[in-house]
Amino acid sequence: MQHAWTNTSDACYAITRPDNCGVTGVSRRTCGFRHATTNLCNGARVVTSIADCGPRTRSFCGERACCGGTCASNRVMDLTPAAFTRIASLSAGLIPAGIDVG
């Protein structure tokens, strides 16, 4: 179970630029670091490790995903399809999620 993270290095951060979307304080974490991601719609949780830099947050500024009254915006993590299917259907595409240190 793996994911991409926006701040794995200075070079990664220069590409993803979450700060351009108002997302500040994204911790520097390198490959292998584990995060727990929780689907805010159904409570399902998956623990994954960083495998790559991404997503390019600045390309998705303001993008939102909602379920009921729960919303989230500005991607800072991309799960692999295998990890995503542990918490949601791939057809959902994008979900509001919470991220914690695994």
Side-chain angles (χ1 to χ4, degrees):
M1 298 293 122
Q2 298 178 321
H3 68 277
W5 185 247
T6 58
N7 193 6
T8 59
S9 66
D10 287 339
C12 175
Y13 196 81
I15 294 166
T16 63
R17 295 302 306 264
D19 58 317
N20 286 350
C21 300
V23 179
T24 60
V26 178
S27 58
R28 170 73 45 91
R29 304 292 187 201
T30 56
C31 288
F33 187 86
R34 296 169 62 84
H35 287 102
T37 303
T38 303
N39 179 333
L40 298 178
C41 302
N42 65 16
R45 183 175 186 260
V46 64
V47 176
T48 56
S49 60
I50 297 173
D52 199 1
C53 170
R56 190 174 168 171
T57 303
R58 67 180 175 174
S59 297
F60 306 105
C61 285
E63 178 183 58
R64 291 171 44 106
C66 300
C67 59
T70 303
C71 296
S73 60
N74 300 323
R75 302 179 198 186
V76 294
M77 168 188 274
D78 272 340
L79 297 173
T80 61
F84 190 86
T85 58
R86 295 282 178 105
I87 61 172
S89 169
L90 282 178
S91 64
L94 189 64
I95 60 166
I99 303 167
D100 297 304
V101 173

